[in-house]
Amino acid sequence: MFRIGKEEAEAAARVMESKMLFRINDGLKEVEHFEEEWAETIGTKYSICVSGGTAALIAALVGLEIGPGDEVIVPGYTFMATATAVLAAGAIPVIAEIDDSLTLDPADVEKKINKNTKAIIPVHICGFPANMDKIMELARKYNLKVVEDACQADGGSYNGKRLGSIGDAGAFSFNHFKIISAGEGGAFVTDSRRVYERALVYHDGGSQFRPYANGLEIQPFMGAQYRISEILGAILRVQLQRLDGILTDLRKVKKTIMQALSDVKNLTFIRSNDIVGDCGTVLAFAFADEKTARTFAASQGVNGSLPIDSGKHVFTNWGPVMNKLGGHNNDVNPYLMEKNKELNMNYAKDMCPKTLDTLSRTVFISLDPDWNEEKINQVISSCREAAGRI
Ligand SMILES: *Cc1c(COP(=O)(O)O)cnc(C)c1O
């Protein structure tokens, strides 16, 4: 979350005054309005507001009828929830390499596709757009579904299309650490009526009893409870109004710094699949080796970090996946299910060497849309000085 103010407080207060905090009501219908506004912003037919990005990913996979017997390819660099959402659907996550854009490597994805592969989850990590042209090409070639994990890329775009609208479904997060936020929250989007209805039923376990049940073309089945309250819905509507301003300012900060450093010969920026659509939350440099990256990151005023140190975003640290503890009970653990017996679940710490090597030679600097000229100039001069010393 970058910006929040009295408008959010007032929106939340209006909901409390209405005394209707449940999303299904005859009052303000904040969540319902947010869903319409989010679908319109992203450019999809349908959107469902859910309790988080993980819930959105699970709803997307359930919506796309992915389950036991299916392999789903995810990158080795993402938040663990990308992989555990696959397990929650009963399927098996297959971990693939990232390329020099820090997003899913289409060449490695193609190597990992086999007869059991059902879907690919490209992740727009740190707001860096994944190579969607190549991924969609693979999906068409092998008849696979694509779920975009845009949890760190609310509002970003690729070739002029908003991230999340290119694949069969998209997932967004509005937890505290994302571009816009209500503390918690998420959204699912799709253009498919059937996928939408399945996700709708799944996110609202009591769907059978809802006013909308009569209009469903599918038969309601058991679901989870991923609904969100009106208070969060009201906050998200205000946050959405701030989204494009936040992105414009983040991109301006990033562009200013990149232009100012473009002539520094020791500095190379991470390759972008679409620098215009990039969210601008993170400035990323590629170095020849880890030692140089560490020296640069630790230099006075740079305030850099290495993604290899981020822990939860590196596949080697995903305990439940690496240890194959995919459920609370053996009988619901996808790794032990009969239907998954033949699937690829051979995980090892060294299975994606390119990912580990790339992440240990990369330096991130987190950006802020509200940095002033003085702060931006300080970052630029600190990076210049640090580059001179490596
Ligand atoms: C934050 C995040 C999620 C999960 O979002 P929650 O709202 O915390 O459930 C999933 N994938 C990625 C890449 C994320 O960064």
Side-chain angles (χ1 to χ4, degrees):
M1 184 203 60
F2 289 108
R3 293 173 181 164
I4 193 159
K6 70 173 190 330
E7 294 84 352
E8 281 84 350
E10 285 164 4
R14 279 196 298 275
V15 171
M16 288 184 235
E17 281 153 20
S18 79
K19 296 196 168 77
M20 284 182 276
L21 277 56
F22 189 56
R23 67 156 295 173
I24 300 165
N25 65 53
D26 293 321
L28 297 170
K29 298 184 192 286
E30 297 284 359
V31 176
E32 212 171 297
H33 286 304
F34 176 76
E35 288 174 340
E36 288 159 10
E37 292 159 3
W38 189 253
E40 159 119 32
T41 301
I42 301 304
T44 54
K45 277 198 191 137
Y46 307 102
S47 166
I48 304 171
C49 194
V50 291
S51 52
T54 311
L57 286 165
I58 299 169
L61 293 163
V62 169
L64 288 162
E65 294 169 69
I66 286 159
D70 300 334
E71 291 181 11
V72 178
I73 300 177
V74 305
Y77 176 52
T78 177
F79 179 50
M80 181 175 72
T82 314
T84 55
V86 175
L87 293 167
I92 297 294
V94 171
I95 301 170
E97 298 269 25
I98 55 165
D99 64 17
D100 59 350
S101 71
L102 306 186
T103 63
L104 197 54
D105 176 8
D108 196 51
V109 168
E110 186 156 25
K111 279 188 215 153
K112 285 174 171 143
I113 292 172
N114 63 46
K115 67 179 194 316
N116 299 315
T117 312
K118 266 289 170 57
I120 312 172
I121 310 185
V123 181
H124 310 298
I125 194 84
C126 304
F128 309 141
N131 189 341
M132 292 308 295
D133 279 351
K134 282 273 166 57
I135 287 161
M136 294 311 290
E137 199 181 299
L138 288 174
R140 278 188 293 270
K141 183 168 167 192
Y142 296 98
N143 194 24
L144 307 174
K145 302 295 183 192
V146 174
V147 176
E148 291 179 73
D149 181 339
C151 288
Q152 296 190 9
D154 302 331
S157 63
Y158 175 84
N159 282 352
K161 279 190 173 168
R162 295 272 194 173
L163 300 174
S165 70
I166 303 161
D168 298 279
F172 304 86
S173 172
F174 309 123
N175 86 20
H176 179 72
F177 305 97
K178 313 299 169 149
I179 296 174
I180 57 170
S181 178
E184 296 283 5
F188 153 90
V189 295
T190 187
D191 279 330
S192 156
R193 178 77 203 175
R194 182 176 170 81
V195 175
Y196 163 72
E197 284 198 3
R198 286 181 56 86
L200 182 72
V201 165
Y202 192 74
H203 106 290
D204 178 15
S207 57
Q208 183 200 334
F209 308 110
R210 304 291 179 227
Y212 64 73
N214 282 338
L216 293 175
E217 287 162 24
I218 64 161
Q219 176 94 25
F221 50 89
M222 191 211 79
Q225 200 302 73
Y226 293 156
R227 294 183 313 268
I228 197 165
S229 96
E230 284 285 276
I231 296 177
L232 297 191
I235 294 170
L236 286 174
R237 291 186 73 195
V238 182
Q239 286 278 297
L240 176 51
Q241 290 186 18
R242 300 185 192 274
L243 178 62
D244 283 336
I246 292 170
L247 290 170
T248 300
D249 292 345
L250 279 168
R251 287 166 176 158
K252 206 156 73 189
V253 169
K254 184 161 176 173
K255 193 171 172 183
T256 305
I257 300 175
M258 285 178 76
Q259 280 177 347
L261 295 175
S262 60
D263 64 333
V264 182
K265 71 174 187 340
N266 280 349
L267 293 181
T268 308
F269 300 111
I270 288 287
R271 184 181 66 78
S272 175
N273 290 308
D274 183 346
I275 194 66
V276 176
D278 176 283
C279 295
T281 41
V282 176
L283 179 65
F285 300 95
F287 292 95
D289 56 66
E290 180 169 349
K291 192 163 163 285
T292 313
R294 290 204 180 277
T295 306
F296 179 82
S299 297
Q300 169 104 43
V302 169
N303 207 10
S305 64
L306 273 63
I308 193 74
D309 297 334
S310 81
K312 57 192 176 217
H313 296 99
V314 185
F315 73 92
T316 49
N317 300 313
W318 301 343
V321 176
M322 300 304 280
N323 302 321
K324 297 187 189 164
L325 298 171
H328 67 280
N329 168 299
N330 282 347
D331 292 330
V332 296
N333 180 352
Y335 290 114
L336 302 174
M337 286 176 187
E338 187 65 24
K339 276 193 107 169
N340 290 334
K341 232 173 54 189
E342 307 295 322
L343 304 191
N344 172 9
M345 50 176 93
N346 303 313
Y347 306 124
K349 296 249 180 200
D350 61 358
M351 68 183 173
C352 290
K354 197 170 94 178
T355 296
L356 299 179
D357 174 59
T358 305
L359 296 176
S360 56
R361 293 185 291 105
T362 299
V363 171
F364 282 170
I365 297 178
S366 296
L367 307 178
D368 190 304
D370 296 317
W371 276 359
N372 59 20
E373 209 178 306
E374 189 189 341
K375 173 66 190 175
I376 294 171
N377 288 336
Q378 176 262 305
V379 172
I380 293 167
S381 57
S382 298
C383 288
R384 275 188 174 278
E385 279 170 39
R389 272 184 264 114
I390 55 175

